[in-house]
């Protein structure tokens, strides 16, 4: 399968990095289009095909991923419209806030209609095959949807969802990875105040967060139930948790999520 990625900035570049780390896709299966030559040189060194011409990148691709800033989407899509084969190719669009109605309008070819496309929101952990990706199929068959889902399943976990939930998904997972990192930073600073060197504190916090995630994933246990196992009556854990709640921890997280909608 040939995959072309148009736009290799922070997110597009992370997708390419992830694809290159899988065992399913070879570097020769991947074409990267971007106007910035150092980015192209980087991926060319890894064996991917590179170009500054979006129309050239589209030719021969089975899946075309457009990963650009929202204000560039219309220009990029209309620029490759005539090169796309609507009967053979699928479009994956990674750009927050773009509506399916807009894409349909931009890509309409009269009697040919529009090609099947997917509104998709991953997060930057996709570079390490650990993304949480939301996929909304528009005009796609079950086979086409399975094909796109399989690609992103190689790059982490996926949810096929409704368009109305994409903003919430973006907040929870795409923005959410920054929120998780902010907790890590705060915990590391706390570890330094407790007496650890910064690098040691970071190692401790990262492994602790990783352990919590893997434990919950492995057991399917509710977080609060797992918390109960380590909160000894009158112990230090419950005192710490209660102090965080007095400072508005849970409320702050929920307010932050809602503020990003």
């Amino acid at each position: 399968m040939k995959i072309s990625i148009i736009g290799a900035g922070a997110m597009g570049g992370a997708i390419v990095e992830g694809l290159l780390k899988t065992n399913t896709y070879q570097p020769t299966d991947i074409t990267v289009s971007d106007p910035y030559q150092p980015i192209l040189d980087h991926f060319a060194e890894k064996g991917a095909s590179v170009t500054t011409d979006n129309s050239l990148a589209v030719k021969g691709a089975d899946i075309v991923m457009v990963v650009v800033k929202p204000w560039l989407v219309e220009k990029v899509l209309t620029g490759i419209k005539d090169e796309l084969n609507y009967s053979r190719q699928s479009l994956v669009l990674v750009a927050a806030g773009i509506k399916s109605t807009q894409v349909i309008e931009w890509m309409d070819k009269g009697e040919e209609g529009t090609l099947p496309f997917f509104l998709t929101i991953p997060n930057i952990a996709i570079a390490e095959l650990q993304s949480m990706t939301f996929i909304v199929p528009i005009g796609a068959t079950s086979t086409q949807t399975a094909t796109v889902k399989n690609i992103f399943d190689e790059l982490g976990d996926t949810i096929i969802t409704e368009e109305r939930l994409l903003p919430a998904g973006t907040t929870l997972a795409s923005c959410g990875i920054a929120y998780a990192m902010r907790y890590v930073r705060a915990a590391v600073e706390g570890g330094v105040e407790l007496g650890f060197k910064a690098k040691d504190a970071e190692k401790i916090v990262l492994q602790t967060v990783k352990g919590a995630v893997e434990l919950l994933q492995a057991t399917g246990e509710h977080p609060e139930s797992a918390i109960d196992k380590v909160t000894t009556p009158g112990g230090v854990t419950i005192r710490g948790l209660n102090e965080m709640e007095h400072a508005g921890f849970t409320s702050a997280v929920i307010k932050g999520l809602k503020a990003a909608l």
Side-chain angles (χ1 to χ4, degrees):
M1 178 182 296
K2 300 294 185 181
I3 302 173
S4 289
I5 298 93
I6 296 175
M11 182 57 72
I15 292 173
V16 179
E17 295 284 2
L19 288 169
L20 290 170
K21 288 176 182 174
T22 70
N23 294 320
T24 303
Y25 305 103
Q26 300 302 312
T28 52
D29 295 328
I30 299 166
T31 298
V32 181
S33 180
D34 195 270
Y36 191 50
Q37 193 61 46
I39 286 177
L40 298 183
D41 292 342
H42 169 74
F43 289 120
E45 289 175 2
K46 295 191 173 189
S49 299
V50 300
T51 181
T52 57
D53 187 335
N54 293 343
S55 294
L56 184 61
V58 166
K59 293 179 180 178
D62 299 298
I63 305 291
V64 176
M65 297 188 184
V66 173
V67 195
V68 297
K69 299 297 184 183
W71 57 87
L72 293 174
V73 170
E74 181 179 5
K75 179 180 179 180
V76 171
L77 289 182
T78 54
I80 63 173
K81 179 177 176 179
D82 291 339
E83 300 297 333
L84 288 166
N85 185 326
Y86 282 22
S87 64
R88 190 183 67 78
Q89 295 175 306
S90 294
L91 172 69
V92 173
L93 179 61
V94 181
I98 298 298
K99 307 296 184 185
S100 61
T101 51
Q102 294 174 290
V103 180
I104 291 169
E105 178 183 345
W106 296 331
M107 302 305 287
D108 182 65
K109 282 189 180 181
E111 291 184 2
E112 286 187 64
T114 189
L115 81 170
F117 66 94
F118 300 83
L119 301 177
T120 309
I121 299 293
N123 64 35
I124 58 172
I126 202 164
E128 299 300 327
L129 313 184
Q130 293 296 329
S131 178
M132 180 67 250
T133 301
F134 300 87
I135 302 171
V136 178
I138 307 293
T141 66
S142 58
T143 300
Q144 290 165 331
T145 299
T147 297
V148 170
K149 185 177 186 300
N150 287 341
I151 292 171
F152 286 98
D153 280 343
E154 293 274 348
L155 304 172
D157 206 349
T158 60
I159 289 181
I160 303 293
T161 190
E162 305 169 53
E163 186 172 355
R164 68 180 181 85
L165 289 174
L166 270 190
T170 301
T171 297
L172 201 56
S174 189
C175 301
I177 197 166
Y179 305 153
M181 290 175 180
R182 180 56 62 87
Y183 165 78
V184 169
R185 189 187 79 172
V188 169
E189 291 177 351
V192 172
E193 188 169 338
L194 292 172
F196 287 102
K197 293 181 179 179
K199 284 309 261 185
D200 290 339
E202 182 178 347
K203 179 180 179 179
I204 293 165
V205 173
L206 289 176
Q207 181 58 39
T208 302
V209 171
K210 180 181 178 182
V213 170
E214 294 197 359
L215 184 62
L216 291 175
Q217 288 180 331
T219 64
E221 195 170 18
H222 190 284
E224 205 59 40
S225 175
I227 287 170
D228 286 343
K229 292 180 178 178
V230 294
T231 49
T232 305
V236 295
T237 304
I238 191 62
R239 290 206 297 271
L241 286 169
N242 284 342
E243 192 62 33
M244 290 180 187
E245 289 302 330
H246 289 324
F249 181 80
T250 297
S251 177
V253 171
I254 295 170
K255 286 180 178 179
L257 292 168
K258 292 172 71 175
L261 284 173

